[in-house]
Amino acid sequence: MIISLTDAKKLNSTIEQEDLDAFEQSVRGLTNNNFQNTAVRFSGISLEEPNLIKVNDSIKGLRKGDTLEVNYSSYNDGLYTVEEILEDSIKVAEESFLDEKSSELMITLVKYPTDIKKGIKKLIEYDKKMASKVGIKSETISRMSTTYYDVSAAENTDGYPSNLLSFLEKYKKMRW
């Protein structure tokens, strides 16, 4: 996860985990960057119900709350949050795995840079401030007039003004 639900709720009390997951998916999609820290990678693992990752090596470089990406799985590819680190396994917070063991399975630590975290916080604040104003360009009530910023389709991405997403530019990778 880019930021925790607890931190996000400090900015906007109505935000849900699904919103944070959507932000994360958007960042990864818009940049075509998985933000993997390949120095913390384990292969030849097994995934066991309900939510345990068995690792053959000693587990180093991980902390509670870190995000892991499971790759080369037939059923369980995706992002998971470390809930607990045991002697030879990692317990994750998300739903159950389907049992799976393969020499190709691997997990990698996902680490987002500080400016990505800051950018997501700005988007959450923008949502809180502007959500009630969507669709209103001008409003007049008894000699008082309010005009909100108008963003055309060419000036936005995923419903946000392009300048709010400028923090992603340096992380964009070419698509193949």
Side-chain angles (χ1 to χ4, degrees), residues 1 28 31 46 49-50 62 65 68 77 83 93 107 111 153 159 162:
M1 82 184 83
R28 292 166 66 90
T31 60
S46 62
E49 291 186 67
L62 292 178
L68 298 175
D77 274 0
E83 188 173 87
I107 57 170
K111 200 72 169 172
S162 298

Side-chain angles (χ1 to χ4, degrees), residues 78-129:
L79 299 175
Y80 299 90
T81 306
V82 174
E83 188 173 87
E84 186 178 357
I85 299 172
L86 306 169
E87 188 174 318
D88 65 343
S89 56
I90 302 163
K91 185 177 180 181
V92 296
E94 285 72 21
E95 297 177 17
S96 319
F97 289 123
L98 295 172
D99 281 349
E100 185 173 8
K101 184 173 184 166
S102 167
S103 60
E104 294 180 10
L105 270 175
M106 75 167 53
I107 57 170
T108 309
L109 175 65
V110 174
K111 200 72 169 172
Y112 295 98
T114 306
D115 55 341
I116 295 287
K117 294 176 184 184
K118 185 176 178 182
I120 293 300
K121 287 178 180 180
K122 283 184 180 179
L123 291 177
I124 292 169
E125 290 169 345
Y126 177 84
D127 272 353
K128 182 179 179 182
K129 179 180 173 186

Side-chain angles (χ1 to χ4, degrees), residues 160-175:
Y160 295 99
S162 298
N163 64 331
L164 277 179
L165 298 174
S166 62
F167 69 95
L168 298 175
E169 290 300 319
K170 66 182 174 185
Y171 297 104
K172 287 188 176 181
K173 290 187 175 182
M174 289 181 53
R175 295 180 192 259

Side-chain angles (χ1 to χ4, degrees), residues 7 9 40 148 169:
D7 289 343
K9 288 226 180 245
V40 183
Y148 297 110
E169 290 300 319

